[in-house]
Each structure stands twice: as structure tokens, then as C-alpha cells.
Amino acid sequence: MSNVNQWDLSADDWDELNFPRPIKQGFDRVVKAAISRRGVLGGVLAFGSGAAVMGTGLLKGSTAMAQQTSRFAFEQLAPQTDGTVHVPAGYNWHTLVRWGDPLFSDAPAFDAVTGVPTTGSDRVFGENTDGMELFNLGNTELLVVNSEYVNTRINLPDGQDGKAISADDIVRLQNFQGVSVMEVTETADGWKVVVDSPYNRRIHHRSPMTIDGPAAAGFKRYGVSTKVDPGRYNYHGFDARFDLSNNPNEPHRAGYIVEIDPWNPDSTPVKHTALGRFKHENAACALALDGRVVVYMGDDERGEYIYKWVSRDVYVPGGDTATLLSEGQLFVARFNDDGTGIWLALTPEDTGMTKAEIAIFTRMAGTAVSATTMDRPEWVAVNPTAVEAYCCLTNNVQRGATNDDESFRTNAAGEPMITNAPNPRNMNRYGQIVRWRPHGDEHAAPTFDWDLYVMAGNPTVHGKGPYAGTANINAGNLFNSPDGMHSDTTGLLWIQTDGNDGNDGDFVGMGNNQMLAGDPVTGEIRRFLTGPKGAEVTGLTWSADKRTMFVGIQHPDRPFPDGEHSLPRSSIIVVKCDDNALIG
Ligand code: CA
Ligand code: CA
């Protein structure tokens, strides 16, 4: 980051700024650790382009980089550094909806200079588009989108230096976050939001919710500040609910998986505490052989864990699913150096904590059973064509080599973030994607095999070695910081990035943040889309007919999408093949 300004940062950058850590490098140590695991990680454990593939791999059909015919129907896009979106030849894109666009006809008009006033700020599409899903019933398609956080310098009135100075400002910020439910339809002029659809809905900080599951308090590990300063949002300055001196339990009510019924706009969202409390990134669902629901989840924080939850009850197609996520067992992952792993049950017996404590202080429960510290687990994707799942480990520049090296840091539990098999690099600025295959082809199984599908890197800069990345990284498909991720119906793995887009130094040749397609079988990865300068690419879903792809563009710089004279606006774009062919 250059010219770092707290108010213009992404959520990740803000984290980095607020938790600065001294860093130093220890390449040799990493190389030795990686090579000592020769043969463990399957075919992709080969550093640098052209390096020989090492080992046979424990995972059948593991990435082998064999010279197979590519499954990709598009030509790889070159890296880009400008202020707009690019897709390959034969594809097209347009903007569907931007921050501040109306979901209802009584919403205030967006002003290119001042944005959206507080009154009516809960009637527009939210800020910082992130995860999304499309729900379809008959001919109706609903796009449901999370608004991850706010950019106070953009969202608040000009001249306030990005600071909330009134209760009115707080309401505005709260309204721009949460979830937007909106009907979308394809017209002769392309996809549109159906303004005033009875399904349209905004869920924000003040939307009533039900809390279910085991739950009831220490929030140091969760990064909650009690300092009396403006902070990023300064909610506690103007909203008693967020004043911890009066309301110390408020933080314990946030950080859960929330279930929303998009088909019933009057329904009350439910916070499912059974699925634990942490910095949930997404919830990727699979079914056990007997119909129980298996939910994989990452905790997007340095040195935190990957979780799995298995429902008590079974999913019955067409049946009532209202309480399916209310009762079940939470597990946390330990990745062994030998390429196997185990899901450790978070029970009172194993953790010494009550069920309620496990639900609220889930990270501490994970520590109690010695889960594996990971390099910031972001999105999990479940492959619908094979019994396997993937998790983006976006980066961790504080991952260090030794227990006693003070220059490297611990996670918030005080566990040293020393390198381990799935997180093998010191000062990991590029990120990797870990893959696991449950034993017995059963997502509910307690054990699994794992490998690294890819370690991002830069062979152009580093030649060989761990920072060059795995063999499926080459000068043509460079990227860093995998974050968003989805498997499509054909099993292709779509990878979205939220990283350094400076295109220089360690990141030269990577360009702007981007979306790539990965073939789980051959390991091939190819760049499909690039975002505008400053943006991360996050959130992906498909129309019911799989001929349209919806892609999120978060926190772009000017001029995206409306030109140099408008505030920049997070947006959802649609991408199609020119001939309207299937796209996922
Ligand atoms: Ca993310
Ligand atoms: Ca991220």
C-alpha cells in the first residue's frame, strides 16, 4: 500500500493498518520444510514454472499438470491496469446495479457528488457488494447480495473527512450494510433490477432478528475496540446499543451465520449460533450420504481456523427446512503434515467449555483442541462433480518461521503462526488454495486427505522456490490473494482475488484484481476477467439458465462505473457469451 489512508481502505487493508507487525523473511527455512514433505501434497508440489512434478500424491486424480487438452473455451485474458472491466473475446459485460441504485421507486436519486442522503438510504442497493446467491422459483429470480462494510469517506457527506459526526450519519452507514434482496429479470436491453418487486428488501443493522442455538461472554480475541476515539465507524459515539460501557454483550450478538428466507419478505432472519461465532466468510453447503447438511466455513483472520458443521436432522427435498440449521455438531480442522486431516469435534468434553461458550467463543474452543492455524481462510467451495472442497487462504504476511522469533507474530490466541504443511510460507503475501477430500466420499466423515490445489506466486520475480508458486502458476496467469471462490455446475473452480494490484515488485505482471477459472482435474488456471483499478472482485452466481454470470466489483476507484466526475460505486456486473451459450 502506498498513500495509505484509513478511510479509503478495503476491509483487509484496514486490518493490516490496524495490526501492524514487524516482518522479516526466511526463505531457506520454507524451502526445506516444503521439500521435506515431498510426495505429500500431490502433484502440485512443484515450485516454479517448468519444475518437475514431485511425488505421486495421495489424492487420486490429484492435480498433475499432465499435458491434457484444456477444458477452457476462452482465450486467457492478459493482465490489465486500467479503470474498467475486461472479459475475453467472445464475451460481453454490463453493469446491473450500483451502490445507491433504487430498489424502490420512492428511493432518493443517487447524486454523483453527494451520493445518497440518510432518508431513504435503506431503499437503495447497499455498499461494498460481496457474497451473493441467485434464488429461482418458477420464472422469478432473486439476487441476494451481502454488503460487507462501508467506505466512510465516500458514503458520508463531503467535508467530514470520512468521520461520522451525528446519529444521522450512523443510520446512513448502518443502512448501507447488510443484505439486499432484489428481483432481477432479463429484458431485450439486458438484465435489470425489478424496482418495487414485492420481494425487494433491505436487511441492515436495525432489522429485527431471531437468535437460535446454544448461546449467552471476553471479546478480546474478536478485535472489538473499547477505545473512546472516532474509530472507523464511531457507532458507539451516537448509538447506545454499540456503547460497550453500557452494553457489554453487544459484540456477542454479532458474528453468526444468518439465515434469510428471500421468498418471504416479512420473515424474520435467524442467527444460527450453532454454527459458531467468528469472522465468517461464507457457508458452503454439501449433503452427507444420509441427507444431513454439512456446512464448511472459513474464519477470515490471520492464524484462525476452518470449520465444519453437520446437522442433526436430514434434508428432505420439498420438506420444511426451517430448523435444519438449528441443531448439529461443530468441528474444526487439523491438517497433518502427512496429507491427512481430522475434523475435531467442539464438544464440552473435548474443550472444557459449555455448549453456549463454544457457540460464542468458538475460536477459543478451536484452540482448546489444537486446530491448525491457517493463512486467513476466506471462501470455501464445494465441487458438485466430486466429493471435495476448497478453501482460499488469502495471504498472511505475519506467518513466521519459528516459535521464538519475536519478529513473527501469534494469532490472537497467542499461538505462534509458524509455518505448517498447508501454510508452508513465511510472510505469505500471495496466498494458496487448500483442497480436501473426505474419506469414504462422505462429507460427514471425521477424516480426510488434503493437498494444495495451488500456491499463488510469481515465477517471473522469484524464478524457483516457494514464492514462485506451484507448477500451475506461470507468467501468463499470475495473481495474488485468492478470496472469493465458487464451483460451477461443471466443477470448474472460479477464483476471485482481493490483493495487491500495484503491478510492481513482487506483484509485477498480476495487474488489477481478477477472476480466474481453475480446472480441478488438470490444475490448469486461466484468467477470465479483470476488475477496475482499486477494486476487488468478489461474489459470483449464475442465472437459473446458466447463460449469465453475476460478478461483484467492490470498492473500485474512480472512474468506475460512472466516470471521473462521479463518486466510485461498488457494482454488480453481468457477463454473457456473445452467442448466449452456457457460462457455468
Ligand atoms: Ca473476502
Ligand atoms: Ca479478502
Side-chain angles (χ1 to χ4, degrees):
M1 292 296 296
S2 56
N3 303 318
V4 172
N5 183 319
Q6 166 171 357
W7 311 103
D8 295 335
L9 299 174
S10 73
D12 288 354
D13 294 335
W14 187 79
D15 256 10
E16 296 284 350
L17 184 69
N18 276 267
F19 299 94
R21 299 292 189 261
I23 48 180
K24 70 182 190 186
Q25 303 179 2
F27 291 147
D28 291 347
R29 205 186 299 272
V30 173
V31 173
K32 282 181 199 153
I35 290 174
S36 72
R37 292 180 294 103
R38 185 175 183 274
V40 166
L41 302 183
V44 293
L45 186 62
F47 296 127
S49 56
V53 172
M54 294 187 286
T56 55
L58 293 178
L59 304 186
K60 288 192 184 70
S62 184
T63 307
M65 290 305 293
Q67 299 305 310
Q68 302 182 31
T69 305
S70 176
R71 284 178 64 193
F72 301 131
F74 59 91
E75 293 297 319
Q76 175 154 273
L77 193 64
Q80 306 289 330
T81 59
D82 64 9
T84 190
V85 171
H86 295 270
V87 292
Y91 295 80
N92 61 81
W93 69 275
H94 74 264
T95 303
L96 170 73
V97 63
R98 304 157 293 185
W99 160 58
D101 277 339
L103 302 188
F104 304 93
S105 51
D106 63 359
F110 184 87
D111 184 286
V113 177
T114 61
V116 181
T118 301
T119 301
S121 55
D122 58 349
R123 308 288 279 172
V124 300
F125 180 61
E127 172 65 305
N128 284 329
T129 177
D130 197 14
M132 63 177 143
E133 291 288 342
L134 185 128
F135 297 82
N136 140 255
L137 207 59
N139 292 322
T140 305
E141 296 184 63
L142 304 183
L143 196 56
V144 180
V145 186
N146 168 234
S147 286
E148 186 180 14
Y149 67 107
V150 286
N151 294 316
T152 54
R153 189 177 282 281
I154 294 169
N155 304 136
L156 291 174
D158 215 14
Q160 291 184 197
D161 198 30
K163 291 186 173 62
I165 59 171
S166 67
D168 196 63
D169 289 346
I170 300 301
V171 170
R172 187 191 307 206
L173 295 179
Q174 292 176 345
N175 283 346
F176 290 152
Q177 297 170 72
V179 172
S180 300
V181 180
M182 54 198 171
E183 185 175 349
V184 293
T185 190
E186 191 168 24
T187 72
D189 286 336
W191 284 86
K192 309 273 188 200
V193 172
V194 180
V195 174
D196 292 328
S197 162
Y199 296 108
N200 290 0
R201 181 178 188 189
R202 283 299 321 283
I203 293 163
H204 48 68
H205 278 57
R206 282 163 290 101
S207 302
M209 297 195 188
T210 300
I211 300 181
D212 83 355
F219 37 85
K220 184 177 176 189
R221 183 141 176 210
Y222 287 80
V224 175
S225 171
T226 55
K227 284 187 293 188
V228 182
D229 65 27
R232 192 174 196 204
Y233 296 162
N234 198 21
Y235 285 178
H236 55 294
F238 299 99
D239 187 338
R241 171 180 161 195
F242 295 96
D243 181 348
L244 301 188
S245 58
N246 292 324
N247 206 0
N249 278 321
E250 180 60 27
H252 307 150
R253 300 186 183 108
Y256 300 104
I257 292 289
V258 178
E259 186 177 17
I260 297 168
D261 179 357
W263 299 105
N264 180 0
D266 298 323
S267 61
T268 304
V270 181
K271 293 190 179 189
H272 291 296
T273 66
L275 281 73
R277 175 174 160 268
F278 45 88
K279 278 174 77 172
H280 283 284
E281 183 70 13
N282 81 318
C285 297
L287 285 181
L289 296 172
D290 63 4
R292 286 175 294 162
V293 179
V294 177
V295 186
Y296 293 113
M297 303 171 285
D299 182 357
D300 179 16
E301 189 66 68
R302 291 179 205 84
E304 292 294 347
Y305 312 130
I306 296 174
Y307 297 87
K308 179 177 87 170
W309 184 84
V310 182
S311 67
R312 181 193 65 190
D313 301 329
V314 301
Y315 168 71
V316 178
D320 182 3
T321 60
T323 61
L324 209 44
L325 297 179
S326 302
E327 296 275 354
Q329 179 61 53
L330 189 60
F331 302 83
V332 67
R334 182 189 295 158
F335 294 80
N336 300 316
D337 284 357
D338 65 357
T340 65
I342 182 167
W343 292 107
L344 302 156
L346 297 178
T347 64
E349 297 72 33
D350 294 319
T351 63
M353 300 165 69
T354 66
K355 281 189 174 182
E357 288 169 338
I358 292 167
I360 298 171
F361 303 110
T362 309
R363 289 175 173 174
M364 288 75 155
T367 302
V369 297
S370 302
T372 303
T373 66
M374 308 299 281
D375 287 347
R376 297 189 53 192
E378 296 246 23
W379 283 72
V380 179
V382 174
N383 185 347
T385 66
V387 184
E388 62 182 24
Y390 297 74
C391 183
C392 285
L393 303 170
T394 193
N395 58 53
N396 183 356
V397 294
Q398 294 168 23
R399 176 72 67 179
T402 66
N403 272 329
D404 54 8
D405 185 337
E406 291 182 0
S407 65
F408 293 111
R409 305 299 299 192
T410 64
N411 69 3
E415 298 171 277
M417 290 191 288
I418 57 172
T419 54
N420 54 40
N423 308 275
R425 292 183 292 193
N426 276 341
M427 198 182 162
N428 174 16
R429 70 199 71 136
Y430 292 131
Q432 65 267 16
I433 297 175
V434 64
R435 160 173 57 191
W436 58 91
R437 291 194 178 131
H439 287 161
D441 288 338
E442 161 63 297
H443 280 293
T447 54
F448 56 90
D449 292 332
W450 67 270
D451 71 353
L452 293 180
Y453 172 69
V454 64
M455 285 204 303
N458 197 329
T460 305
V461 172
H462 295 288
K464 293 183 177 178
Y467 291 90
T470 38
N472 46 354
I473 293 296
N474 55 65
N477 68 2
L478 300 177
F479 66 94
N480 74 90
S481 304
D483 183 334
M485 187 166 56
H486 285 265
S487 290
D488 69 22
T489 56
T490 72
L492 287 184
L493 188 67
W494 294 85
I495 303 162
Q496 302 176 313
T497 72
D498 171 23
N500 186 310
D501 68 354
N503 201 40
D504 55 8
D506 281 329
F507 306 97
V508 71
M510 298 183 178
N512 293 350
N513 279 301
Q514 54 188 289
M515 184 166 78
L516 310 99
D519 182 335
V521 178
T522 66
E524 182 184 9
I525 295 174
R526 195 177 280 198
R527 184 183 299 109
F528 177 80
L529 177 151
T530 57
K533 192 77 181 170
E536 74 175 88
V537 179
T538 182
L540 172 63
T541 191
W542 287 266
S543 61
D545 67 5
K546 309 296 181 203
R547 296 177 193 279
T548 298
M549 182 183 259
F550 299 87
V551 181
I553 303 296
Q554 191 195 84
H555 64 78
D557 293 340
R558 293 175 197 251
F560 194 85
D562 296 340
E564 286 291 347
H565 300 295
S566 171
L567 290 170
R569 305 168 75 179
S570 293
S571 301
I572 294 173
I573 63 168
V574 299
V575 180
K576 294 180 70 73
C577 296
D578 290 346
D579 61 0
N580 203 31
L582 295 171
I583 195 173

